[in-house]
Amino acid sequence: MPGSGTKKPRKHVIEIRDDLGEVLCKIRVADLASGLAGADMQGVFGYSAQLQGQNMSGAEMYWAHLTGADLSFAILTGADMRGAFLNDAICRHANFRSANLGRDNLGGRTSILGTDFTDAVLNGAILDGAVFDDRTIFPKGYHPKSHGLIHFNELASTEAIAKAHKRKK
């Protein structure tokens, strides 16, 4: 209402670019100073996105496609990344404390095939059911199976057994 004294929060746009500088997508945020913290990035397509050092704490990144993205030194504390694709992503020194990279609402898995987590903070992150492979690099002392992650080779055989079991019923 004109003259009522209340203003709608203005939306700002942050462009996400790939490694060649091409704009992949535009994310609307309430405050540029907060970066992508709390941003709605659900299903965003960010192949080779350059997100180094970005604050994405609390961001909704459900089913985000970030294959080949560079998330080095990014802050992803409390981000919802269930069902995301982080294949071949660079996550060196990134902070995933309390981030959820577990199964999505339909039981789908987060994929971290070939992802580099060198010196990343995974303390308190939910990775139960996420899929990794021999190329995935974890921080020193991190044991993926003790955190509920599943190796790609085991996933294939586990799902084959489950399908065979269903056919027998």
Side-chain angles (χ1 to χ4, degrees), residues 13 41 45 56 58-59 68 70-71 77 83 99 106-107 114 118 129 132-133 151 157:
V13 174
M41 297 174 66
F45 182 77
M56 294 177 275
D70 190 342
L71 297 157
T77 55
L106 300 173
T118 301
F132 71 100
D133 64 7
H151 192 278
S157 62

Side-chain angles (χ1 to χ4, degrees), residues 19-161:
D19 53 350
L20 299 174
E22 297 292 323
V23 176
L24 296 170
C25 60
K26 297 178 181 182
I27 306 296
R28 296 196 179 281
V29 296
D31 178 19
L32 285 175
S34 297
L36 294 167
D40 182 357
M41 297 174 66
Q42 293 184 58
V44 71
F45 182 77
Y47 183 81
S48 295
Q50 300 301 293
L51 295 164
Q52 304 94 320
Q54 286 287 328
N55 180 1
M56 294 177 275
S57 58
E60 292 293 330
M61 300 172 75
Y62 189 86
W63 274 85
H65 296 267
L66 297 170
T67 296
D70 190 342
L71 297 157
S72 299
F73 296 94
I75 302 166
L76 296 141
T77 55
D80 183 355
M81 302 179 77
R82 293 174 294 149
F85 293 90
L86 291 170
N87 300 335
D88 300 313
I90 302 166
C91 297
R92 295 180 196 129
H93 302 277
N95 186 344
F96 289 92
R97 189 176 311 254
S98 301
N100 189 348
L101 289 92
R103 291 178 182 253
D104 66 20
N105 292 335
L106 300 173
R109 300 173 188 276
T110 301
S111 183
I112 57 170
L113 305 175
T115 302
D116 183 353
F117 289 106
T118 301
D119 296 323
V121 177
L122 297 176
N123 301 4
I126 299 167
L127 287 144
D128 189 46
V131 180
F132 71 100
D133 64 7
D134 291 336
R135 298 175 304 120
T136 307
I137 302 169
F138 291 99
K140 286 184 175 125
Y142 188 85
H143 303 286
K145 292 198 178 184
S146 67
H147 289 91
L149 284 85
I150 187 162
H151 192 278
F152 178 77
N153 291 340
E154 292 173 12
L155 177 66
S157 62
T158 301
E159 289 182 350
I161 291 168

